[in-house]
Amino acid sequence: MRWTTYLSPTDGQQHVGLVRDGTIAGLRRPDRLLDLLGDDGRRLVEAAREIDSDPLDVIVVDAVTLCAPVPVPPSIRDFMAFEEHVVTSMAALGRTVDPVWYDIPVFYFSNPAAVRGPYDDIEVSPGSRQFDYELEAAVVIGRPGSNIRVEDAESHIAGYTVLCDWSARDLQDHEMRQGLGPAKGKDGATSLGPYLVTPDELQDRRRGESVELAMTATVNGTQYSSGNLAALHWSFAQMISYASRGTTLRPGDVIGSGTVGTGCILELSRVHGEQAYPWLSPGDEVVLEIERLGAVRTRILPAPEVVPLR
């Protein structure tokens, strides 16, 4: 199944929708998609039956505003799980990959309050001159769990979606010299959507511990990034297991893959130069697409003014 959250033209409110053949059929009751998680998928199946018997709306996808599938997730853990991205980025800086990266799947916590829909405009972070996208996939946790074993972890996945971690690289570099962060370098926005695609929709693309799905990014119609989800060094099962170590994952938690190889301007500009791959600026149109999961389409807006601290 393909789920979304959309603004209904019937009442102007956010509703859960089931996407089929280019149309959305809406759930009449006011539950959030988050409210339909937490078990083995039976709540989603029951919601689909309700939609089939008595939909709130049946409307073409392009005629409505889509929100992030889970507009305010309990948490966002964004990993760095693609080896190609890590190796290339480090080499461009004249460094080698720290051995710790091969021992554990590292991540940072992002800002749930900054989640944006798949077609929302995104402002440049205040003060940034090196604004960037990151082409990523993500899974949303369906069942809670702690100290989850790797072999059990995929049963906790409610579905897959596209994630873009909008990044102010100059701010990120400046603040992380203090040994903390990223904070304001990543705090402005994270785009999610357009759909939450349940794992059964992708079974025919299973390749070992991953899923074979093409990933691409374009800026103003020019292709920048090209990769594949199957290239993950750390699987989502391993990421989930590590994320749950000593704590509890909750329904709706987002687990991001990190940037696919070639999947950001930081990597591309350091290899090929900033003239070939300039940083994002107001007016740019960015499209991040993952096969079967859909696309994030965004226009970049000017940054708000920096509010002085002193």
Side-chain angles (χ1 to χ4, degrees), residues 6-13 15 28 56-57:
Y6 73 104
L7 290 180
S8 169
T10 299
D11 61 10
Q13 303 298 311
H15 282 268
R28 189 172 292 279
L56 174 68
D57 308 293

Side-chain angles (χ1 to χ4, degrees), residues 69-81:
V70 181
V72 186
S75 72
I76 303 172
R77 291 171 173 85
D78 203 358
F79 282 76
M80 191 166 62

Side-chain angles (χ1 to χ4, degrees), residues 148-169:
I148 300 167
R149 297 183 302 174
V150 172
E151 57 266 34
D152 299 329
E154 289 199 2
S155 68
H156 292 261
I157 296 175
Y160 292 74
T161 193
V162 182
L163 184 151
C164 180
D165 171 28
W166 301 98
S167 303
R169 299 302 188 184

Side-chain angles (χ1 to χ4, degrees), residues 11 38 42 46 64 67 71 113-115 120 134 147 173 198 203-204 221 243 260 263 271 298 305:
D11 61 10
R42 285 174 290 180
E46 179 57 34
V64 296
C67 309
V115 168
D120 288 353
E134 290 194 356
N147 299 310
D173 177 69
T198 55
Q203 280 304 309
D204 63 317
V260 70
V271 174
T298 298
E305 291 188 10

Side-chain angles (χ1 to χ4, degrees), residues 81-85 135-137 205-207 209-217 223 225-234 236 257-263 289-293:
F82 286 98
E83 185 178 25
E84 180 186 352
H85 169 70
L135 173 59
E136 306 185 27
R205 293 298 188 90
R206 293 287 308 188
R207 299 295 183 270
E209 296 180 342
S210 191
V211 183
E212 189 172 285
L213 299 174
M215 305 172 69
T216 59
Q223 183 167 306
S225 305
S226 178
N228 200 290
L229 186 56
L232 282 170
H233 178 83
W234 292 102
F236 275 117
S257 67
T259 310
V260 70
T262 77
E289 186 168 7
I290 301 180
E291 189 179 7
R292 295 203 184 183
L293 303 186

Side-chain angles (χ1 to χ4, degrees), residues 18-33:
L18 188 58
V19 181
R20 297 189 184 109
D21 300 323
T23 64
I24 295 176
L27 182 65
R28 189 172 292 279
R29 54 187 163 102
D31 295 47
R32 304 167 300 169
L33 187 54

Side-chain angles (χ1 to χ4, degrees), residues 47-105:
R49 289 172 180 161
E50 290 184 33
I51 289 171
D52 287 340
S53 63
D54 184 26
L56 174 68
D57 308 293
V58 178
I59 191 166
V60 175
V61 170
D62 294 340
V64 296
T65 299
L66 298 184
C67 309
V70 181
V72 186
S75 72
I76 303 172
R77 291 171 173 85
D78 203 358
F79 282 76
M80 191 166 62
F82 286 98
E83 185 178 25
E84 180 186 352
H85 169 70
V86 177
V87 170
T88 305
S89 297
M90 292 297 102
L93 295 172
R95 297 159 54 188
T96 57
V97 181
D98 191 302
V100 171
W101 187 84
Y102 292 98
D103 292 336
I104 55 173

